[in-house]
Amino acid sequence: MIEVYKTKDIGFCFGVKRAINMVLKEAQTGQKNIYTIGPIIHNPQMVDMLREKGIRPVDDIKDIEDGIVVFRTHGIKKEDEEYIKQRGLRYIDATCPFVKKVRRYAIMLKKMGYKVVIVGEGRHPEVKSVLSYLDNDGIVLQKPDSIDARKIGVVSQTTLEKDFFLDIVTGLLRDAEELRVYNTICVSTSKRKQEASRLAEKVDMMLIVGGKNSSNTTKLYEMVKRLQPKTYHIETEDDLDPVWFSGVKRVGITGGASTPDFIIDKVERQVKNF
Ligand code: SF4
């Protein structure tokens, strides 16, 4: 039988657990129209499960007439928050406190006269949210680049790889007269990466479970794949291919911060059956 090992930190992270508990508590009161702007977390299976309980993602805030709006873990845009408040819509702020910390530091740096640099992916909702609270007066850096400013203030997307962040900061140091840096990488993300790298060295194959749209899961996959070439990113047990397991004795399983335990358990059971 295949031996299966899992990382210690697996399943929902603190921020995701908190957000899911908040919406479920609201759903339990019998409230039917609960909306999130975009998916509350980047896990399609969990979002489908929540939809059955009346918690639905919408693309545009203007599509919401009544009910309750949930601010998702990655945060929402400043203009959406203003709209919700102007319309007097009820809301639950489930933004992860670590994401709020990024925003807080970015706003503070701007007020102190720094040119704010957010190191991260421009398309990620967390980065878009932080930028919107700077009234879009900030720079998103996805690769080392020089910035034409005397005072530069830097924050990081919570799911970044530390080495990547360091590269960008080192690059900025070359030109800036003054550089103020806040390492806002989430501890949970770094811990998961450390545990996954350790596990990858002990097994013949790694499975990274989580949404294909999840930034932290994808980054975890890319990092582990560099250490263990036989690594696969799957969303559910249905993605497992028996061919992968030929000659494999030990399988390591880990997951992104938004991967529910029930999916990990199903994957584990299925692997043991091969
Ligand atoms: S990974 Fe970190 S920042 Fe993101 S939701 Fe979880 S605890 Fe918050």
Side-chain angles (χ1 to χ4, degrees):
M1 189 158 122
I2 291 173
E3 291 167 33
V4 176
Y5 300 90
K6 291 188 291 184
T7 47
K8 205 162 128 265
D9 269 288
I10 204 162
F12 288 156
C13 65
F14 154 78
V16 169
K17 217 180 273 173
R18 177 177 171 271
I20 299 292
N21 286 343
M22 283 166 103
V23 282
L24 286 178
K25 206 168 148 203
E26 190 59 39
Q28 274 161 12
T29 64
Q31 175 72 41
K32 285 281 172 250
N33 300 329
I34 305 175
Y35 301 99
T36 60
I37 310 159
I40 184 164
I41 56 169
H42 282 153
N43 186 273
Q45 294 72 30
M46 194 65 206
V47 170
D48 285 347
M49 231 178 96
L50 291 174
R51 197 178 273 120
E52 283 166 23
K53 295 182 190 298
I55 303 150
R56 290 187 294 272
V58 293
D59 290 332
D60 193 332
I61 183 68
K62 307 239 164 55
D63 294 339
I64 303 172
E65 295 285 317
D66 57 6
I68 294 191
V69 190
V70 181
F71 299 1
R72 58 182 174 168
T73 45
H74 309 110
I76 63 168
K77 287 193 190 156
K78 184 183 174 189
E79 51 270 32
D80 288 343
E81 183 171 349
E82 284 169 353
Y83 177 85
I84 290 163
K85 289 182 177 165
Q86 268 163 21
R87 285 283 314 265
L89 291 169
R90 275 187 62 204
Y91 64 89
I92 297 171
D93 187 354
T95 313
C96 174
F98 296 125
V99 173
K100 278 198 172 165
K101 194 163 86 174
V102 184
R103 186 200 298 173
R104 240 188 356 261
Y105 280 137
I107 294 172
M108 185 189 81
L109 287 166
K110 187 183 168 192
K111 280 190 186 148
M112 289 166 76
Y114 290 90
K115 185 75 198 163
V116 182
V117 170
I118 307 163
V119 185
E121 299 154 78
R123 283 176 315 164
H124 195 277
E126 177 189 320
V127 174
K128 282 186 182 170
S129 166
V130 174
L131 193 60
S132 74
Y133 282 87
L134 299 174
D135 298 318
N136 293 317
D137 180 19
I139 297 171
V140 179
L141 274 192
Q142 292 183 230
K143 57 181 175 50
D145 208 348
S146 58
I147 303 287
D148 185 18
R150 204 175 58 77
K151 288 173 71 175
I152 302 174
V154 191
V155 291
S156 56
Q157 184 181 336
T158 52
T159 47
L160 276 196
E161 270 190 46
K162 210 176 251 171
D163 288 345
F164 173 73
F165 185 52
L166 271 175
D167 278 351
I168 303 245
V169 170
T170 311
L172 290 172
L173 198 56
R174 278 187 211 111
D175 297 323
E177 190 181 315
E178 189 183 334
L179 187 69
R180 191 165 180 142
V181 182
Y182 286 98
N183 174 5
T184 44
I185 298 173
C186 163
V187 180
S188 163
T189 311
S190 323
K191 237 171 122 191
R192 274 166 203 257
K193 283 180 183 153
Q194 276 168 13
E195 287 181 16
S197 349
R198 266 185 243 127
L199 184 57
E201 284 168 9
K202 293 187 202 146
V203 294
D204 312 315
M205 182 209 274
M206 281 292 287
L207 295 172
I208 316 296
V209 191
K212 293 271 165 82
N213 57 347
S214 157
S215 163
N216 76 77
T217 312
T218 307
K219 290 210 174 77
L220 191 61
Y221 163 72
E222 287 166 355
M223 188 213 70
V224 174
K225 179 98 181 154
R226 286 196 290 271
L227 303 168
Q228 166 55 265
K230 210 167 166 51
T231 295
Y232 301 95
H233 179 177
I234 56 166
E235 282 198 350
T236 68
E237 71 282 6
D238 295 335
D239 298 334
L240 292 169
D241 186 340
V243 175
W244 301 343
F245 295 84
S246 157
V248 168
K249 289 197 174 76
R250 286 169 311 227
V251 173
I253 302 179
T254 190
S258 49
T259 310
D261 283 327
F262 75 87
I263 295 185
I264 304 271
D265 291 345
K266 282 186 189 170
V267 169
E268 183 179 1
R269 275 201 298 276
Q270 179 79 342
V271 171
K272 284 179 174 167
N273 280 339
F274 281 130

